[in-house]
Amino acid sequence: MAALVMGAAIVFSPLARADEFDALASGHFEDVAGAIATLAASGNPQAAAVLHALEGHQLFASSQGGLFIRQGENYVEARTGQPASATPPDLHPVRLNNRVRKALAGAQAEMELVAPQRDVRLKAATALYGRHDPALLPAIDHALSVEKDSGVRVKLEEARAATILGQPAGEDAQGQRLEAVHTLAGVGGLEARSILASVAASSVEAPDVRKAASEGVSAIDWHLRMWSVFQNAFYGLSYGSVLLLAATGLAITFGVMGVINMAHGEMMMIGAYTTWMVQQGIRATAPMLEPVAILLAIPVAFLVCGTIGVVIERGLIRFLYGRPLETLLATWGLSLILQQAVRSIFGPTNLAVETPSWLSGSFALGGMDITLNRLAIFIFSGLVLGGLMLVLRRTPLGLQMRAVTQNRRMAALMGIRTPRVDALAFGLGAGLAGLAGVAVSQIDNVSPNLGQSYIIDSFMVVVFGGVGNLWGTLAAAMALGMGGKILEPTIGAVSAKIAILVLVILYIQRHPRGMFPVRGRGVES
């Protein structure tokens, strides 16, 4: 055994040379902390790997000064990065305490702040903004002195300001702290507000610094309120987009046939369940198509709901024309039947349509968080509305539908088959409700009661915008969607609904035909 140890000493004695790695194996925390700073400043290509191993408790030392990084069951030499042909029997982990950890954090930050890759430097500067560690201030100052990229410099200056204000106030640092306060006031955000609020409440701060910090807090609060309004308005746009898809179908149905279809919400519900079934079917039969399942569900939901709408019109609605109360009661009963049928087939519990990866996530726009699925709903509703306008203005069916809307008797005398137009119009309205179901499946759970959450608001959109006018439907959907979401944080969801309803009633009293009135059956003679 003695020979083995002696042999080990002979083999590993070359590693005991004095270099920037040497003190890491000393066993003294002060020496290890000093070695970390020396290693970070040395520019050695192995420095980052060694410090990372030290942080992860994977750095081992021998009594002869050898340093090894453990990788699974094997070791590599820390100084060279080469696999170790043999390891000494007296390996022990290099220990850490708070001082070593602080030195390690500063060294890693310093190396990242001067890395050749801009993205690495930017990420490091952004991370330092939230740490407020005074020990990292020299590393930040050094990085600022050599940084050329303007974007990274801005982040470094913000991190420096947060770090300065994160340490106790000193009489000789009043100018620096005042400058840091102004910097953070310009940054904005909750992190900056928290720091400035602490400064403003501190009794040891200079009066000028406290006053500037208080003013900064007030300015940030104002900006946060404004961005909150914009954020709620964006949520309102996505909700209004769903209302737009649902209400365009109602506008066509009511505008062409004068039918109050209380089962329109159930067409949305069927569209959402169709989306779920398409996703499940693709997952079981062609998993490679699952990322585009939501796109494949769009035409399927339109065709399924459109076909059901034609069947409903031919089997029920056509017997009730001219009797609006009977159509309201009949379609309300039909909505209950459809809800119970779906509840019996799929069960009463909620189902979730999985959002594809390319629609997941979000991005920042100023102080707003723009979620991709809600943005996609807004774009989708715009495309559907544009396609519908092309159909109504550029196709024979659209021409016939507009003719029947304006004067049914005259259209029939001109040879237009009004029963066929009624069936196709009802099917088109139901298909549009199915598309609304596809959209709402991305922001809500799918359940048998899904349509009931949107049907009343959809009717309000149709009446408020002007029956049969798509531009009015667009304006009313966005106004009601955004108005409700903006009011909710202030007065609550229920009160916001009531306020919107009261405002719509007051407007309809003065403008009974809505914002964009069109000629309807009432002008027939």
Side-chain angles (χ1 to χ4, degrees), residues 2 12 15 36 146 153 166 212-213 215 262 287 306 317 323 336 343-344 401 404 422 437-438 482 497 517:
F12 297 104
L15 298 178
I36 289 172
V146 297
R153 285 192 63 85
E215 292 173 350
M262 295 300 294
I317 301 300
R323 292 181 286 175
L336 297 179
R343 191 175 286 108
S344 300
M401 288 176 58
V404 173
D422 288 338
V438 176
M482 294 175 63
K497 288 278 189 185

PDB file of all heavy atoms in Angstrom, residues 2 12 15 36 146 153 166 212-213 215 262 287 306 317 323 336 343-344 401 404 422 437-438 482 497 517:
ATOM      1  N   ALA A   2       1.967   1.237   0.770  1.00  0.00           N
ATOM      2  CA  ALA A   2       2.880   2.387   0.800  1.00  0.00           C
ATOM      3  C   ALA A   2       3.482   2.623  -0.558  1.00  0.00           C
ATOM      4  O   ALA A   2       3.642   3.756  -1.001  1.00  0.00           O
ATOM      5  CB  ALA A   2       3.991   2.161   1.846  1.00  0.00           C
ATOM      6  N   PHE A  12       1.443  11.925  -9.797  1.00  0.00           N
ATOM      7  CA  PHE A  12       0.688  13.166  -9.759  1.00  0.00           C
ATOM      8  C   PHE A  12       1.504  14.358  -9.294  1.00  0.00           C
ATOM      9  O   PHE A  12       0.970  15.449  -9.181  1.00  0.00           O
ATOM     10  CB  PHE A  12      -0.545  13.005  -8.842  1.00  0.00           C
ATOM     11  CG  PHE A  12      -1.498  11.975  -9.361  1.00  0.00           C
ATOM     12  CD1 PHE A  12      -1.557  10.724  -8.779  1.00  0.00           C
ATOM     13  CD2 PHE A  12      -2.301  12.235 -10.455  1.00  0.00           C
ATOM     14  CE1 PHE A  12      -2.414   9.768  -9.262  1.00  0.00           C
ATOM     15  CE2 PHE A  12      -3.172  11.280 -10.935  1.00  0.00           C
ATOM     16  CZ  PHE A  12      -3.229  10.044 -10.339  1.00  0.00           C
ATOM     17  N   LEU A  15       1.388  17.689 -11.246  1.00  0.00           N
ATOM     18  CA  LEU A  15       0.222  18.565 -11.132  1.00  0.00           C
ATOM     19  C   LEU A  15       0.388  19.574 -10.015  1.00  0.00           C
ATOM     20  O   LEU A  15      -0.404  20.490  -9.881  1.00  0.00           O
ATOM     21  CB  LEU A  15      -1.039  17.717 -10.861  1.00  0.00           C
ATOM     22  CG  LEU A  15      -1.398  16.718 -11.973  1.00  0.00           C
ATOM     23  CD1 LEU A  15      -2.618  15.927 -11.563  1.00  0.00           C
ATOM     24  CD2 LEU A  15      -1.610  17.431 -13.308  1.00  0.00           C
ATOM     25  N   ILE A  36     -10.331  31.706  -7.082  1.00  0.00           N
ATOM     26  CA  ILE A  36     -11.466  31.870  -7.999  1.00  0.00           C
ATOM     27  C   ILE A  36     -11.342  33.183  -8.760  1.00  0.00           C
ATOM     28  O   ILE A  36     -11.509  33.240  -9.994  1.00  0.00           O
ATOM     29  CB  ILE A  36     -12.793  31.808  -7.215  1.00  0.00           C
ATOM     30  CG1 ILE A  36     -13.051  30.377  -6.734  1.00  0.00           C
ATOM     31  CG2 ILE A  36     -13.949  32.308  -8.064  1.00  0.00           C
ATOM     32  CD1 ILE A  36     -14.230  30.257  -5.795  1.00  0.00           C
ATOM     33  N   VAL A 146     -15.443  48.270 -20.853  1.00  0.00           N
ATOM     34  CA  VAL A 146     -14.983  47.654 -22.110  1.00  0.00           C
ATOM     35  C   VAL A 146     -16.133  47.340 -23.063  1.00  0.00           C
ATOM     36  O   VAL A 146     -15.881  46.966 -24.201  1.00  0.00           O
ATOM     37  CB  VAL A 146     -14.200  46.358 -21.811  1.00  0.00           C
ATOM     38  CG1 VAL A 146     -12.955  46.657 -21.000  1.00  0.00           C
ATOM     39  CG2 VAL A 146     -15.076  45.327 -21.089  1.00  0.00           C
ATOM     40  N   ARG A 153     -24.883  47.696 -22.885  1.00  0.00           N
ATOM     41  CA  ARG A 153     -24.519  48.789 -21.975  1.00  0.00           C
ATOM     42  C   ARG A 153     -25.737  49.281 -21.187  1.00  0.00           C
ATOM     43  O   ARG A 153     -25.640  49.568 -19.995  1.00  0.00           O
ATOM     44  CB  ARG A 153     -23.905  49.957 -22.751  1.00  0.00           C
ATOM     45  CG  ARG A 153     -22.475  49.738 -23.216  1.00  0.00           C
ATOM     46  CD  ARG A 153     -21.879  51.046 -23.716  1.00  0.00           C
ATOM     47  NE  ARG A 153     -21.789  52.039 -22.648  1.00  0.00           N
ATOM     48  CZ  ARG A 153     -20.777  52.129 -21.794  1.00  0.00           C
ATOM     49  NH1 ARG A 153     -19.771  51.272 -21.881  1.00  0.00           N
ATOM     50  NH2 ARG A 153     -20.762  53.055 -20.865  1.00  0.00           N
ATOM     51  N   GLY A 166     -29.002  48.697  -3.848  1.00  0.00           N
ATOM     52  CA  GLY A 166     -29.189  47.512  -3.024  1.00  0.00           C
ATOM     53  C   GLY A 166     -28.245  47.430  -1.843  1.00  0.00           C
ATOM     54  O   GLY A 166     -28.391  46.545  -1.001  1.00  0.00           O
ATOM     55  N   ALA A 212     -36.499  61.943  -4.874  1.00  0.00           N
ATOM     56  CA  ALA A 212     -36.398  61.439  -6.243  1.00  0.00           C
ATOM     57  C   ALA A 212     -36.964  60.021  -6.340  1.00  0.00           C
ATOM     58  O   ALA A 212     -37.640  59.675  -7.319  1.00  0.00           O
ATOM     59  CB  ALA A 212     -34.947  61.465  -6.718  1.00  0.00           C
ATOM     60  N   ALA A 213     -36.702  59.204  -5.317  1.00  0.00           N
ATOM     61  CA  ALA A 213     -37.225  57.838  -5.327  1.00  0.00           C
ATOM     62  C   ALA A 213     -38.747  57.829  -5.241  1.00  0.00           C
ATOM     63  O   ALA A 213     -39.420  57.048  -5.930  1.00  0.00           O
ATOM     64  CB  ALA A 213     -36.631  57.041  -4.164  1.00  0.00           C
ATOM     65  N   GLU A 215     -40.786  60.210  -6.262  1.00  0.00           N
ATOM     66  CA  GLU A 215     -41.297  60.644  -7.562  1.00  0.00           C
ATOM     67  C   GLU A 215     -41.177  59.522  -8.589  1.00  0.00           C
ATOM     68  O   GLU A 215     -42.054  59.354  -9.442  1.00  0.00           O
ATOM     69  CB  GLU A 215     -40.530  61.874  -8.028  1.00  0.00           C
ATOM     70  CG  GLU A 215     -40.794  63.119  -7.180  1.00  0.00           C
ATOM     71  CD  GLU A 215     -39.891  64.285  -7.573  1.00  0.00           C
ATOM     72  OE1 GLU A 215     -38.946  64.052  -8.369  1.00  0.00           O
ATOM     73  OE2 GLU A 215     -40.129  65.408  -7.087  1.00  0.00           O
ATOM     74  N   MET A 262     -81.705  30.776 -30.596  1.00  0.00           N
ATOM     75  CA  MET A 262     -81.140  30.595 -29.265  1.00  0.00           C
ATOM     76  C   MET A 262     -80.215  29.376 -29.188  1.00  0.00           C
ATOM     77  O   MET A 262     -79.546  29.184 -28.173  1.00  0.00           O
ATOM     78  CB  MET A 262     -82.263  30.443 -28.238  1.00  0.00           C
ATOM     79  CG  MET A 262     -83.129  31.676 -28.070  1.00  0.00           C
ATOM     80  SD  MET A 262     -82.191  33.115 -27.532  1.00  0.00           S
ATOM     81  CE  MET A 262     -81.690  32.604 -25.906  1.00  0.00           C
ATOM     82  N   PRO A 287     -49.808  10.718 -35.397  1.00  0.00           N
ATOM     83  CA  PRO A 287     -49.226  11.630 -34.396  1.00  0.00           C
ATOM     84  C   PRO A 287     -48.333  12.714 -34.994  1.00  0.00           C
ATOM     85  O   PRO A 287     -48.205  13.785 -34.400  1.00  0.00           O
ATOM     86  CB  PRO A 287     -48.413  10.690 -33.493  1.00  0.00           C
ATOM     87  CG  PRO A 287     -49.003   9.347 -33.703  1.00  0.00           C
ATOM     88  CD  PRO A 287     -49.469   9.320 -35.117  1.00  0.00           C
ATOM     89  N   GLY A 306     -72.020  23.587 -40.117  1.00  0.00           N
ATOM     90  CA  GLY A 306     -72.824  24.061 -41.236  1.00  0.00           C
ATOM     91  C   GLY A 306     -73.857  23.045 -41.664  1.00  0.00           C
ATOM     92  O   GLY A 306     -75.027  23.388 -41.953  1.00  0.00           O
ATOM     93  N   ILE A 317     -86.851  25.205 -38.567  1.00  0.00           N
ATOM     94  CA  ILE A 317     -87.021  26.656 -38.703  1.00  0.00           C
ATOM     95  C   ILE A 317     -87.972  27.020 -39.831  1.00  0.00           C
ATOM     96  O   ILE A 317     -88.767  27.965 -39.712  1.00  0.00           O
ATOM     97  CB  ILE A 317     -85.645  27.320 -38.918  1.00  0.00           C
ATOM     98  CG1 ILE A 317     -84.711  27.013 -37.741  1.00  0.00           C
ATOM     99  CG2 ILE A 317     -85.805  28.840 -39.077  1.00  0.00           C
ATOM    100  CD1 ILE A 317     -85.186  27.488 -36.410  1.00  0.00           C
ATOM    101  N   ARG A 323     -92.974  33.982 -37.329  1.00  0.00           N
ATOM    102  CA  ARG A 323     -93.409  33.845 -35.938  1.00  0.00           C
ATOM    103  C   ARG A 323     -92.174  33.877 -35.031  1.00  0.00           C
ATOM    104  O   ARG A 323     -91.677  32.840 -34.593  1.00  0.00           O
ATOM    105  CB  ARG A 323     -94.178  32.540 -35.755  1.00  0.00           C
ATOM    106  CG  ARG A 323     -95.515  32.531 -36.484  1.00  0.00           C
ATOM    107  CD  ARG A 323     -96.260  31.244 -36.253  1.00  0.00           C
ATOM    108  NE  ARG A 323     -95.674  30.137 -37.010  1.00  0.00           N
ATOM    109  CZ  ARG A 323     -96.076  28.868 -36.906  1.00  0.00           C
ATOM    110  NH1 ARG A 323     -97.030  28.557 -36.044  1.00  0.00           N
ATOM    111  NH2 ARG A 323     -95.515  27.929 -37.627  1.00  0.00           N
ATOM    112  N   LEU A 336     -81.359  23.110 -25.415  1.00  0.00           N
ATOM    113  CA  LEU A 336     -81.344  22.205 -24.263  1.00  0.00           C
ATOM    114  C   LEU A 336     -81.140  20.760 -24.707  1.00  0.00           C
ATOM    115  O   LEU A 336     -80.411  19.994 -24.056  1.00  0.00           O
ATOM    116  CB  LEU A 336     -82.651  22.342 -23.484  1.00  0.00           C
ATOM    117  CG  LEU A 336     -82.938  23.715 -22.865  1.00  0.00           C
ATOM    118  CD1 LEU A 336     -84.282  23.703 -22.136  1.00  0.00           C
ATOM    119  CD2 LEU A 336     -81.832  24.121 -21.916  1.00  0.00           C
ATOM    120  N   ARG A 343     -73.812  16.094 -23.397  1.00  0.00           N
ATOM    121  CA  ARG A 343     -73.503  15.662 -22.033  1.00  0.00           C
ATOM    122  C   ARG A 343     -73.591  14.136 -21.913  1.00  0.00           C
ATOM    123  O   ARG A 343     -72.794  13.507 -21.209  1.00  0.00           O
ATOM    124  CB  ARG A 343     -74.458  16.346 -21.053  1.00  0.00           C
ATOM    125  CG  ARG A 343     -74.082  16.179 -19.594  1.00  0.00           C
ATOM    126  CD  ARG A 343     -74.992  16.977 -18.677  1.00  0.00           C
ATOM    127  NE  ARG A 343     -74.701  18.403 -18.730  1.00  0.00           N
ATOM    128  CZ  ARG A 343     -75.494  19.308 -19.311  1.00  0.00           C
ATOM    129  NH1 ARG A 343     -76.637  18.920 -19.874  1.00  0.00           N
ATOM    130  NH2 ARG A 343     -75.156  20.579 -19.312  1.00  0.00           N
ATOM    131  N   SER A 344     -74.534  13.545 -22.619  1.00  0.00           N
ATOM    132  CA  SER A 344     -74.685  12.083 -22.569  1.00  0.00           C
ATOM    133  C   SER A 344     -73.563  11.383 -23.325  1.00  0.00           C
ATOM    134  O   SER A 344     -73.128  10.299 -22.937  1.00  0.00           O
ATOM    135  CB  SER A 344     -76.045  11.678 -23.169  1.00  0.00           C
ATOM    136  OG  SER A 344     -77.118  12.259 -22.451  1.00  0.00           O
ATOM    137  N   MET A 401     -78.125  36.444 -51.011  1.00  0.00           N
ATOM    138  CA  MET A 401     -78.395  36.695 -49.599  1.00  0.00           C
ATOM    139  C   MET A 401     -78.646  38.174 -49.342  1.00  0.00           C
ATOM    140  O   MET A 401     -79.560  38.538 -48.587  1.00  0.00           O
ATOM    141  CB  MET A 401     -77.215  36.210 -48.750  1.00  0.00           C
ATOM    142  CG  MET A 401     -77.100  34.705 -48.647  1.00  0.00           C
ATOM    143  SD  MET A 401     -75.628  34.169 -47.742  1.00  0.00           S
ATOM    144  CE  MET A 401     -75.881  34.974 -46.179  1.00  0.00           C
ATOM    145  N   VAL A 404     -82.172  39.010 -50.613  1.00  0.00           N
ATOM    146  CA  VAL A 404     -83.225  38.536 -49.726  1.00  0.00           C
ATOM    147  C   VAL A 404     -83.283  39.393 -48.461  1.00  0.00           C
ATOM    148  O   VAL A 404     -84.361  39.689 -47.929  1.00  0.00           O
ATOM    149  CB  VAL A 404     -83.002  37.049 -49.389  1.00  0.00           C
ATOM    150  CG1 VAL A 404     -83.987  36.590 -48.321  1.00  0.00           C
ATOM    151  CG2 VAL A 404     -83.148  36.197 -50.637  1.00  0.00           C
ATOM    152  N   ASP A 422     -82.319  30.640 -47.591  1.00  0.00           N
ATOM    153  CA  ASP A 422     -82.498  30.547 -46.140  1.00  0.00           C
ATOM    154  C   ASP A 422     -81.701  29.388 -45.549  1.00  0.00           C
ATOM    155  O   ASP A 422     -81.021  29.527 -44.531  1.00  0.00           O
ATOM    156  CB  ASP A 422     -83.975  30.371 -45.809  1.00  0.00           C
ATOM    157  CG  ASP A 422     -84.780  31.641 -46.033  1.00  0.00           C
ATOM    158  OD1 ASP A 422     -84.165  32.723 -46.036  1.00  0.00           O
ATOM    159  OD2 ASP A 422     -85.999  31.552 -46.217  1.00  0.00           O
ATOM    160  N   GLY A 437     -66.172  28.223 -32.120  1.00  0.00           N
ATOM    161  CA  GLY A 437     -65.866  27.152 -31.169  1.00  0.00           C
ATOM    162  C   GLY A 437     -64.427  26.701 -31.263  1.00  0.00           C
ATOM    163  O   GLY A 437     -63.795  26.395 -30.243  1.00  0.00           O
ATOM    164  N   VAL A 438     -63.873  26.644 -32.493  1.00  0.00           N
ATOM    165  CA  VAL A 438     -62.456  26.295 -32.654  1.00  0.00           C
ATOM    166  C   VAL A 438     -61.584  27.323 -31.930  1.00  0.00           C
ATOM    167  O   VAL A 438     -60.623  26.977 -31.233  1.00  0.00           O
ATOM    168  CB  VAL A 438     -62.078  26.231 -34.149  1.00  0.00           C
ATOM    169  CG1 VAL A 438     -60.582  25.969 -34.297  1.00  0.00           C
ATOM    170  CG2 VAL A 438     -62.877  25.153 -34.857  1.00  0.00           C
ATOM    171  N   MET A 482     -63.580  44.790 -25.459  1.00  0.00           N
ATOM    172  CA  MET A 482     -62.572  45.613 -24.804  1.00  0.00           C
ATOM    173  C   MET A 482     -63.155  46.369 -23.621  1.00  0.00           C
ATOM    174  O   MET A 482     -62.519  46.483 -22.570  1.00  0.00           O
ATOM    175  CB  MET A 482     -61.961  46.580 -25.813  1.00  0.00           C
ATOM    176  CG  MET A 482     -61.152  45.902 -26.908  1.00  0.00           C
ATOM    177  SD  MET A 482     -60.569  47.054 -28.158  1.00  0.00           S
ATOM    178  CE  MET A 482     -59.497  48.102 -27.157  1.00  0.00           C
ATOM    179  N   LYS A 497     -70.263  43.597 -16.521  1.00  0.00           N
ATOM    180  CA  LYS A 497     -71.312  43.095 -17.418  1.00  0.00           C
ATOM    181  C   LYS A 497     -72.558  43.960 -17.322  1.00  0.00           C
ATOM    182  O   LYS A 497     -73.183  44.306 -18.339  1.00  0.00           O
ATOM    183  CB  LYS A 497     -71.654  41.654 -17.050  1.00  0.00           C
ATOM    184  CG  LYS A 497     -70.593  40.627 -17.411  1.00  0.00           C
ATOM    185  CD  LYS A 497     -70.702  40.223 -18.862  1.00  0.00           C
ATOM    186  CE  LYS A 497     -69.786  39.050 -19.158  1.00  0.00           C
ATOM    187  NZ  LYS A 497     -69.789  38.702 -20.589  1.00  0.00           N
ATOM    188  N   PRO A 517     -76.980  51.020 -39.085  1.00  0.00           N
ATOM    189  CA  PRO A 517     -78.260  50.467 -39.553  1.00  0.00           C
ATOM    190  C   PRO A 517     -78.243  50.187 -41.051  1.00  0.00           C
ATOM    191  O   PRO A 517     -77.575  50.863 -41.830  1.00  0.00           O
ATOM    192  CB  PRO A 517     -79.260  51.576 -39.204  1.00  0.00           C
ATOM    193  CG  PRO A 517     -78.451  52.828 -39.201  1.00  0.00           C
ATOM    194  CD  PRO A 517     -77.096  52.440 -38.701  1.00  0.00           C
TER     195      PRO A 517
END
